[in-house]
C-alpha cells in the first residue's frame, strides 16, 4: 500500500530520542524549550509554545483570546473538526464561512459579506480561524484588514502549513494574526509523533498559553499574588490543562526541523511532476496562489465528474483496491451529525459541499518516489478507464 502520507524518521531522529531516554528528563526538560526556540527562529516570531497536539493548541489559543460562553467563532467548513470544536470547548458558538473555489480555503468575499450581515444583526465573531488547507496559505492580508474593520481576533490554523510562506515570509510569524497553530502528527510535514505548537508576537498571550498548557500554574514571582514561600513554590493562577509536550516528542521534532526545507522542496518537485502527468486526465489539479508558497502537506485533485461515467466513490474505491492509500480531506464539518444537531444543514455552504463531492487526496510525503508516483498515475488511469 502506498499511503497518502507518512513520516520519515532518520537515524539522527532516532538518536535524538535515545539521547533523551538516556538523560535525566523524559518530560519537561531542555528539549522542549530548544524545540520552541528553533521553531520561533525559523518562523521569525517572538514566542512559540509547544503542546501535545494542534487540537490542544487551538483550544488554549481560543482561551487566551478570551473566547467563552456567548461568543462566536467562525472558521472554514472544509477542515478537520478540531478547527471548530476548539470554540465549543470554551462554551462559545461556531459558524462557518464557505470556501474559495480555487484555493479551497476560507473565501474572503464570503467572509466580507457575512461580516456585513453579522454587523447589522449585532452578532459579529470574536475570533475567526482561517485554515491553510493542504499547506496553501489563506489570503491573510485581506482577512487581517477585515479583522481591523470588524474587530475580531485571528487564529491561523496552519496544521498543514509549516515550511510554507505567505508574501515571501514564513507562515507562523503572526504578521496578520494573533496566534498561529502548527501540527506535528506523523502524516504532517514534520513530526514529533503527536504534538503541536502555538506561535505569537504578543508576550501576554504567550504567558497565558504557557499557563493554560500546564494546569494554569506559574513559577514566575511577578505573576503571583504574593512572594513565594520558598524555592519549591508555585501558584495556580487560572484554570488550565495538562497539554504539555514531552522531551521525547520535542527531541524528535527538533531533529526533524533540520530537514524541514528539504521535505517541503521535495513535495514541490513531486507536485510539479503530478501536474505534468495529470495534464490530460479529467481532473482539476491544485491551483497555487502566487502570494503563497505552500507547505504541500496534501496534493488534492478534483474529479471532473461531469466527464466521467464513474462516480466519485467508484474512483476512490478503485484506487484503494489497487493499494493506493488515497484519502479525502475533508468531510465538511457542518454536515457531521453533531453539527447537524446544532442546526446546520446540507446546502448551507455549497462550495465546500461541491468540493467534497469531487476531492481525492493523492499520496504526498517526504520519501515519495517517482516510481511510486508512476504507480499512482497508472492506478488512477485504470480507475478512470
Amino acid at each position: 500500500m502506498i499511503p497518502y502520507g507518512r513520516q520519515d524518521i532518520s537515524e539522527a531522529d532516532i538518536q535524538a530520542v535515545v539521547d533523551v531516554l538516556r538523560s535525566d528528563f523524559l518530560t519537561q526538560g531542555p528539549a522542549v524549550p530548544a524545540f520552541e526556540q528553533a521553531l520561533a527562529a525559523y518562523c521569525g516570531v517572538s514566542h512559540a509554545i509547544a503542546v501535545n497536539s494542534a487540537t490542544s493548541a487551538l483550544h488554549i489559543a481560543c482561551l487566551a483570546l478570551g473566547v467563552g460562553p456567548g461568543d462566536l467563532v467562525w472558521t472554514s467548513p472544509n477542515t478537520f473538526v478540531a478547527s471548530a470544536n476548539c470554540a465549543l470547548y470554551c462554551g462559545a458558538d461556531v459558524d462557518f464561512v464557505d470556501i474559495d473555489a480555487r484555493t479551497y480555503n476560507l473565501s474572503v468575499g464570503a467572509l466580507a459579506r457575512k461580516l456585513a450581515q453579522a454587523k447589522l444583526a449585532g452578532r459579529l465573531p470574536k475570533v475567526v480561524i482561517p485554515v491553510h488547507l493542504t499547506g496553501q496559505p489563506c489570503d491573510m492580508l485581506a482577512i487581517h484588514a477585515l479583522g481591523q474593520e470588524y474587530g475580531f481576533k485571528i487564529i491561523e490554523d496552519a496544521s498543514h502549513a509549516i515550511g510554507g510562506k505567505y508574501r515571501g515570509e514564513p507562515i507562523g510569524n503572526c504578521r496578520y494574526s494573533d496566534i498561529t497553530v502548527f501540527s506535528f502528527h506523523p502524516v504532517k510535514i514534520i513530526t514529533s509523533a503527536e504534538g503541536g505548537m502555538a506561535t505569537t508576537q504578543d508576550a501576554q498571550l504567550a504567558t497565558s498559553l504557557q499557563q493554560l498548557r500546564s494546569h494554569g500554574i506559574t513559577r514566575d514571582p511577578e505573576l503571583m499574588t504574593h512572594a513565594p514561600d520558598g524555592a519549591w513554590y508555585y501558584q495556580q493562577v487560572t484554570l488550565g490543562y495538562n497539554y504539555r509536550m514531552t522531551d521525547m516528542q520535542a527531541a524528535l521534532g527538533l531533529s526533524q526541523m533540520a530537514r524541514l526545507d528539504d521535505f517541503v522542496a521535495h513535495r514541490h518537485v513531486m507536485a510539479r511532476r503530478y501536474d505534468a502527468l495529470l495534464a490530460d486526465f479529467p481532473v482539476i489539479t491544485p491551483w497555487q496562489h502566487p502570494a503563497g508558497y505552500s507547505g504541500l502537506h496534501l496534493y488534492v485533485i478534483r474529479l471532473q465528474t461531469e466527464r466521467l461515467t464513474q462516480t466519485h466513490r467508484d474512483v476512490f474505491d478503485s484506487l484503494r483496491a489497487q493499494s493506493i492509500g488515497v484519502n479525502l480531506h475533508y468531510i465538511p464539518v457542518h454536515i457531521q451529525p453533531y453539527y447537524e444537531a446544532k442546526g446546520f444543514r446540507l446546502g448551507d455552504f455549497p462550495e465546500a459541499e461541491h468540493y467534497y463531492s469531487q476531492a481525492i487526496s493523492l499520496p504526498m510525503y517526504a520519501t515519495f518516489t517517482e516510481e511510486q508516483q508512476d504507480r499512482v498515475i497508472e492506478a488512477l488511469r485504470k480507475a478512470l478507464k
Side-chain angles (χ1 to χ4, degrees), residues 91-244:
D93 296 320
V94 173
D95 202 353
F96 302 96
V97 180
D98 210 352
I99 66 170
D100 180 87
R102 296 184 76 185
T103 65
Y104 316 147
N105 286 333
L106 185 147
S107 165
V108 171
L111 176 61
R113 291 189 294 273
K114 189 159 186 158
L115 286 165
Q117 294 167 358
K119 184 175 182 180
L120 291 174
R123 186 70 168 130
L124 285 165
K126 185 163 191 173
V127 171
V128 171
I129 305 178
V131 179
H132 302 322
L133 190 78
T134 76
Q136 171 154 238
C138 296
D139 187 352
M140 293 307 304
L141 180 64
I143 294 170
H144 179 263
L146 289 169
Q148 295 295 296
E149 180 179 354
Y150 288 97
F152 58 81
K153 301 294 187 180
I154 300 170
I155 300 170
E156 294 179 70
D157 186 341
S159 295
H160 294 183
I162 192 168
K165 295 179 181 179
Y166 175 67
R167 299 176 68 87
E169 297 180 332
I171 294 171
N173 68 1
C174 297
R175 181 178 295 278
Y176 304 105
S177 65
D178 298 277
I179 299 171
T180 301
V181 168
F182 293 113
S183 172
F184 308 124
H185 184 276
V187 298
K188 299 301 197 307
I189 298 164
I190 64 169
T191 187
S192 59
E194 289 279 4
M197 193 87 75
T199 63
T200 184
Q201 296 285 16
D202 188 304
Q204 288 186 327
L205 284 178
T207 297
S208 180
L209 291 164
Q210 289 161 353
Q211 291 172 356
L212 287 164
R213 74 171 170 185
S214 188
H215 305 283
I217 284 173
T218 184
R219 293 182 181 273
D220 183 349
E222 294 186 4
L223 299 177
M224 294 180 183
T225 58
H226 58 78
D229 294 347
W232 66 85
Y233 196 68
Y234 61 86
Q235 284 187 349
Q236 181 184 344
V237 295
T238 190
L239 181 63
Y241 303 85
N242 185 0
Y243 284 170
R244 298 183 301 253

